Each structure stands twice: as structure tokens, then as C-alpha cells.
Amino acid sequence: MTSKNIFIILLAMFSIIVYGQKPGVKQKKYIFFLHNKFMEEHRLDEAHPKYGIVEYEKVLHQLKDSSNIVLFEKRKPNTDPALYALKIKKQIDRLIKKGIKAENIAVVGTSQGGYIAQYVSYYQKNPQLKFVFIGASFKDDSLEKDPDFRLYGKILSITEKSDDGHVPLSQEQRFIRSDIKNFKEIELNTGLNHGFLFKALDEWIIPTKEWIYDK
């Protein structure tokens, strides 16, 4: 089954959730997965010259289980992160309006997807939402240029030691000026540079799922 077909099925599922919930769906976890920048501009079977193929479908498969619903979309080239985050915010708002608890909703993003997830955190300002930012905190990055930008929610940040220019999220001004009560950061050491998030590695997928399911 192609990713396009999978996404169509999930969109139909999402419509069922929003417009006519089935028994039990309120207890499920809802995971928004936001991919990296490379995938915006390339087909799923195109390889990055340094990092290879993005293991997108494998990541989705490993995130998915019987107790959750994974929502995802392959974004168009040159998607504006701030505007796209508003789209995700509206989808989250609809879920919450229909009775899904914020604590059962997670936004997971790799690289550019992680920056979009940070915008969602800023827009939502909901301390119960869960977020996982993967490879999405770098020295003097774009979000550091906004003195009013703050983060909200329960946040897990995952970085890679060999990823050039990365810094721990806890050292970023946007984090320092925030009032995060539930936070964890992990620095991996895979030696894969930024390519670590191209791969469906247990090193970042397992802690991501643990964070999503942690009470």
C-alpha cells in the first residue's frame, strides 16, 4: 500500500473521529507525525546524497499500534512552517472539541517537522499536550530570532551528538524564557550526523513512544 493511499485512509479515519466518534476512540492516543524538509521536495524513493532514503513508512509503521492513531501528510515543497502549524493546531482543536483529552494527543516532528511542532506548541499554549522534537534545535536557528517565542506542553527533545551545529534545547532562549514543567532531553551518539532522523532507529523511536504513553 502506498503512503498516498495510507494517508487517504487516515484522513477518512480522522473524519470519523471528528464527525462521528466510534466507541473507544477517546481512549486512544493521537499522534501527529511531521517529517523533515528533505521529504517536502523529494519523492519517497529519492535518496539524500549523504543520508540516503528517508525511512518514512517504516517510521510510521513503528509508531503505529492498536492503541493509537497516527496522522500524517507529505507536505508540499516550500511549506511555510508557521502556517502549516496553524493547520495542525486546528486539527488538534477539533479533536479536543470532540472530547479527546489533550494528554492523549502528541505532536512528533523530525528536523523541519520538529520546528513545525514547536510552532504548534507556541500556538496551542496547552500544558497537557505532548511534543517530541527530533533534531530540531540548532545554534542561532530561526526560532531564536523571535524574542516572544515560548514553548508549552510536555516536551521531549532528542538530538544527536554528531549533528553539526546542534545545541540542547534547554540552552535555547525560547526554552529558557518558557515555564516548562515536564521536560526531558536526550542526546544520542549514533555517529550518523543529521542522517539519524532519516532512519527508523529504535534509539529515537522507543523514547518517543515512551514519552507519548507516559502518564
Short mmCIF file of all heavy atoms in Angstrom, two decimals, residues 84-118:
data_model
loop_
_atom_site.label_atom_id
_atom_site.label_comp_id
_atom_site.label_asym_id
_atom_site.label_seq_id
_atom_site.Cartn_x
_atom_site.Cartn_y
_atom_site.Cartn_z
N TYR A 84 1.76 26.09 8.35
CA TYR A 84 1.38 24.68 8.44
C TYR A 84 1.05 24.30 9.88
O TYR A 84 0.14 23.50 10.12
CB TYR A 84 2.51 23.79 7.91
CG TYR A 84 2.08 22.37 7.68
CD1 TYR A 84 1.47 22.00 6.48
CD2 TYR A 84 2.26 21.39 8.65
CE1 TYR A 84 1.06 20.70 6.26
CE2 TYR A 84 1.85 20.09 8.44
CZ TYR A 84 1.25 19.75 7.24
OH TYR A 84 0.83 18.45 7.05
N ALA A 85 1.76 24.90 10.82
CA ALA A 85 1.48 24.62 12.23
C ALA A 85 0.07 25.06 12.62
O ALA A 85 -0.58 24.43 13.46
CB ALA A 85 2.50 25.33 13.11
N LEU A 86 -0.43 26.11 11.99
CA LEU A 86 -1.80 26.56 12.25
C LEU A 86 -2.80 25.50 11.80
O LEU A 86 -3.85 25.29 12.43
CB LEU A 86 -2.08 27.89 11.55
CG LEU A 86 -1.41 29.11 12.16
CD1 LEU A 86 -1.65 30.33 11.27
CD2 LEU A 86 -1.95 29.38 13.57
N LYS A 87 -2.48 24.82 10.70
CA LYS A 87 -3.34 23.73 10.20
C LYS A 87 -3.40 22.60 11.23
O LYS A 87 -4.48 22.07 11.53
CB LYS A 87 -2.78 23.21 8.87
CG LYS A 87 -3.47 21.98 8.33
CD LYS A 87 -2.81 21.56 7.02
CE LYS A 87 -3.41 20.26 6.50
NZ LYS A 87 -2.80 19.84 5.21
N ILE A 88 -2.24 22.24 11.80
CA ILE A 88 -2.20 21.19 12.82
C ILE A 88 -2.95 21.64 14.06
O ILE A 88 -3.68 20.87 14.68
CB ILE A 88 -0.75 20.82 13.16
CG1 ILE A 88 0.02 20.35 11.92
CG2 ILE A 88 -0.71 19.73 14.24
CD1 ILE A 88 -0.58 19.15 11.23
N LYS A 89 -2.79 22.91 14.43
CA LYS A 89 -3.49 23.45 15.60
C LYS A 89 -5.01 23.29 15.43
O LYS A 89 -5.70 22.89 16.38
CB LYS A 89 -3.15 24.92 15.79
CG LYS A 89 -3.90 25.56 16.97
CD LYS A 89 -3.69 27.06 17.04
CE LYS A 89 -4.39 27.65 18.26
NZ LYS A 89 -5.86 27.42 18.27
N LYS A 90 -5.51 23.59 14.25
CA LYS A 90 -6.96 23.49 14.02
C LYS A 90 -7.42 22.04 14.15
O LYS A 90 -8.51 21.77 14.66
CB LYS A 90 -7.30 24.05 12.64
CG LYS A 90 -7.15 25.56 12.55
CD LYS A 90 -7.42 26.07 11.13
CE LYS A 90 -7.22 27.58 11.05
NZ LYS A 90 -7.39 28.08 9.66
N GLN A 91 -6.60 21.10 13.67
CA GLN A 91 -6.97 19.69 13.79
C GLN A 91 -6.98 19.25 15.25
O GLN A 91 -7.87 18.51 15.68
CB GLN A 91 -5.98 18.83 12.97
CG GLN A 91 -6.11 19.05 11.47
CD GLN A 91 -5.11 18.23 10.68
OE1 GLN A 91 -4.17 17.67 11.24
NE2 GLN A 91 -5.30 18.16 9.38
N ILE A 92 -6.01 19.73 16.01
CA ILE A 92 -5.99 19.42 17.45
C ILE A 92 -7.19 20.04 18.14
O ILE A 92 -7.84 19.40 18.99
CB ILE A 92 -4.67 19.92 18.08
CG1 ILE A 92 -3.49 19.11 17.55
CG2 ILE A 92 -4.74 19.84 19.61
CD1 ILE A 92 -2.13 19.64 17.97
N ASP A 93 -7.52 21.27 17.79
CA ASP A 93 -8.68 21.94 18.38
C ASP A 93 -9.96 21.13 18.14
O ASP A 93 -10.81 21.01 19.03
CB ASP A 93 -8.85 23.34 17.80
CG ASP A 93 -7.79 24.31 18.29
OD1 ASP A 93 -7.13 24.01 19.30
OD2 ASP A 93 -7.62 25.37 17.65
N ARG A 94 -10.08 20.57 16.93
CA ARG A 94 -11.28 19.78 16.61
C ARG A 94 -11.32 18.51 17.46
O ARG A 94 -12.39 18.09 17.92
CB ARG A 94 -11.31 19.44 15.12
CG ARG A 94 -11.65 20.63 14.23
CD ARG A 94 -12.15 20.20 12.86
NE ARG A 94 -11.12 19.52 12.09
CZ ARG A 94 -10.30 20.15 11.25
NH1 ARG A 94 -10.36 21.47 11.11
NH2 ARG A 94 -9.41 19.48 10.55
N LEU A 95 -10.16 17.87 17.63
CA LEU A 95 -10.11 16.66 18.46
C LEU A 95 -10.54 16.98 19.90
O LEU A 95 -11.35 16.26 20.49
CB LEU A 95 -8.70 16.08 18.47
CG LEU A 95 -8.25 15.30 17.23
CD1 LEU A 95 -6.78 14.93 17.35
CD2 LEU A 95 -9.09 14.06 17.02
N ILE A 96 -9.99 18.04 20.45
CA ILE A 96 -10.31 18.41 21.83
C ILE A 96 -11.78 18.78 21.96
O ILE A 96 -12.45 18.41 22.94
CB ILE A 96 -9.39 19.56 22.29
CG1 ILE A 96 -7.94 19.06 22.41
CG2 ILE A 96 -9.86 20.12 23.64
CD1 ILE A 96 -6.93 20.14 22.72
N LYS A 97 -12.31 19.47 20.97
CA LYS A 97 -13.73 19.85 20.98
C LYS A 97 -14.63 18.62 20.99
O LYS A 97 -15.73 18.65 21.56
CB LYS A 97 -14.04 20.72 19.77
CG LYS A 97 -15.46 21.31 19.76
CD LYS A 97 -15.67 22.21 18.57
CE LYS A 97 -17.09 22.77 18.57
NZ LYS A 97 -17.31 23.68 17.41
N LYS A 98 -14.16 17.54 20.39
CA LYS A 98 -14.95 16.31 20.32
C LYS A 98 -14.71 15.39 21.52
O LYS A 98 -15.18 14.26 21.55
CB LYS A 98 -14.65 15.55 19.02
CG LYS A 98 -15.21 16.25 17.79
CD LYS A 98 -16.73 16.32 17.84
CE LYS A 98 -17.30 17.05 16.65
NZ LYS A 98 -18.77 17.12 16.69
N GLY A 99 -13.96 15.88 22.49
CA GLY A 99 -13.82 15.11 23.73
C GLY A 99 -12.52 14.37 23.92
O GLY A 99 -12.35 13.66 24.92
N ILE A 100 -11.58 14.49 22.97
CA ILE A 100 -10.28 13.85 23.13
C ILE A 100 -9.47 14.67 24.13
O ILE A 100 -9.32 15.88 23.97
CB ILE A 100 -9.52 13.76 21.80
CG1 ILE A 100 -10.38 13.08 20.72
CG2 ILE A 100 -8.19 13.01 21.99
CD1 ILE A 100 -10.84 11.70 21.05
N LYS A 101 -8.94 14.03 25.15
CA LYS A 101 -8.14 14.75 26.14
C LYS A 101 -6.82 15.19 25.53
O LYS A 101 -6.19 14.45 24.78
CB LYS A 101 -7.88 13.85 27.35
CG LYS A 101 -9.13 13.52 28.15
CD LYS A 101 -8.77 12.64 29.34
CE LYS A 101 -10.00 12.29 30.16
NZ LYS A 101 -9.66 11.42 31.32
N ALA A 102 -6.39 16.40 25.89
CA ALA A 102 -5.12 16.92 25.38
C ALA A 102 -3.96 16.00 25.72
O ALA A 102 -3.02 15.85 24.94
CB ALA A 102 -4.88 18.32 25.94
N GLU A 103 -4.03 15.35 26.88
CA GLU A 103 -2.94 14.46 27.30
C GLU A 103 -2.82 13.22 26.41
O GLU A 103 -1.82 12.50 26.47
CB GLU A 103 -3.14 14.04 28.74
CG GLU A 103 -4.39 13.21 28.98
CD GLU A 103 -4.74 13.08 30.45
OE1 GLU A 103 -4.58 14.05 31.19
OE2 GLU A 103 -5.19 11.98 30.83
N ASN A 104 -3.85 12.98 25.59
CA ASN A 104 -3.82 11.84 24.66
C ASN A 104 -3.42 12.25 23.24
O ASN A 104 -3.54 11.46 22.31
CB ASN A 104 -5.18 11.15 24.62
CG ASN A 104 -5.46 10.37 25.89
OD1 ASN A 104 -4.53 9.93 26.57
ND2 ASN A 104 -6.72 10.21 26.23
N ILE A 105 -2.96 13.48 23.10
CA ILE A 105 -2.55 14.00 21.79
C ILE A 105 -1.06 14.33 21.83
O ILE A 105 -0.59 15.00 22.76
CB ILE A 105 -3.36 15.25 21.42
CG1 ILE A 105 -4.86 14.93 21.37
CG2 ILE A 105 -2.89 15.81 20.07
CD1 ILE A 105 -5.74 16.16 21.22
N ALA A 106 -0.33 13.86 20.84
CA ALA A 106 1.11 14.14 20.76
C ALA A 106 1.46 14.63 19.36
O ALA A 106 0.89 14.18 18.37
CB ALA A 106 1.92 12.89 21.10
N VAL A 107 2.41 15.55 19.31
CA VAL A 107 2.93 16.05 18.04
C VAL A 107 4.42 15.71 18.00
O VAL A 107 5.19 16.15 18.85
CB VAL A 107 2.73 17.57 17.89
CG1 VAL A 107 3.21 18.03 16.52
CG2 VAL A 107 1.26 17.94 18.10
N VAL A 108 4.80 14.91 17.01
CA VAL A 108 6.18 14.43 16.87
C VAL A 108 6.73 14.95 15.56
O VAL A 108 6.10 14.80 14.50
CB VAL A 108 6.22 12.89 16.87
CG1 VAL A 108 7.65 12.39 16.68
CG2 VAL A 108 5.60 12.33 18.15
N GLY A 109 7.90 15.58 15.60
CA GLY A 109 8.47 16.12 14.37
C GLY A 109 9.96 15.91 14.27
O GLY A 109 10.69 16.03 15.26
N THR A 110 10.43 15.57 13.06
CA THR A 110 11.85 15.41 12.81
C THR A 110 12.35 16.61 12.00
O THR A 110 11.76 16.97 10.99
CB THR A 110 12.15 14.12 12.05
OG1 THR A 110 11.45 14.11 10.79
CG2 THR A 110 11.73 12.89 12.84
N SER A 111 13.45 17.22 12.44
CA SER A 111 14.09 18.33 11.74
C SER A 111 13.07 19.45 11.46
O SER A 111 12.52 20.01 12.40
CB SER A 111 14.75 17.81 10.45
OG SER A 111 15.63 18.77 9.92
N GLN A 112 12.79 19.76 10.20
CA GLN A 112 11.80 20.80 9.89
C GLN A 112 10.46 20.50 10.55
O GLN A 112 9.77 21.40 11.03
CB GLN A 112 11.62 20.93 8.38
CG GLN A 112 10.58 21.97 7.93
CD GLN A 112 11.17 23.36 7.82
OE1 GLN A 112 11.91 23.81 8.71
NE2 GLN A 112 10.86 24.05 6.75
N GLY A 113 10.10 19.23 10.58
CA GLY A 113 8.87 18.83 11.26
C GLY A 113 8.91 19.15 12.74
O GLY A 113 7.90 19.47 13.36
N GLY A 114 10.12 19.08 13.33
CA GLY A 114 10.28 19.44 14.73
C GLY A 114 10.10 20.93 14.97
O GLY A 114 9.60 21.34 16.02
N TYR A 115 10.49 21.73 13.99
CA TYR A 115 10.27 23.18 14.10
C TYR A 115 8.78 23.50 13.97
O TYR A 115 8.25 24.36 14.68
CB TYR A 115 11.10 23.93 13.07
CG TYR A 115 12.55 24.04 13.48
CD1 TYR A 115 13.50 23.18 12.96
CD2 TYR A 115 12.95 24.99 14.41
CE1 TYR A 115 14.83 23.26 13.35
CE2 TYR A 115 14.28 25.08 14.81
CZ TYR A 115 15.21 24.21 14.28
OH TYR A 115 16.52 24.29 14.69
N ILE A 116 8.11 22.80 13.06
CA ILE A 116 6.65 22.98 12.94
C ILE A 116 5.98 22.61 14.26
O ILE A 116 5.09 23.30 14.73
CB ILE A 116 6.09 22.13 11.78
CG1 ILE A 116 6.63 22.65 10.44
CG2 ILE A 116 4.56 22.16 11.77
CD1 ILE A 116 6.30 21.77 9.25
N ALA A 117 6.44 21.51 14.85
CA ALA A 117 5.88 21.07 16.14
C ALA A 117 6.08 22.13 17.22
O ALA A 117 5.22 22.33 18.08
CB ALA A 117 6.51 19.75 16.56
N GLN A 118 7.21 22.83 17.17
CA GLN A 118 7.45 23.89 18.15
C GLN A 118 6.49 25.06 17.93
O GLN A 118 6.03 25.69 18.90
CB GLN A 118 8.91 24.34 18.09
CG GLN A 118 9.86 23.28 18.64
CD GLN A 118 11.31 23.64 18.50
OE1 GLN A 118 11.81 24.55 19.18
NE2 GLN A 118 12.02 22.94 17.62
#
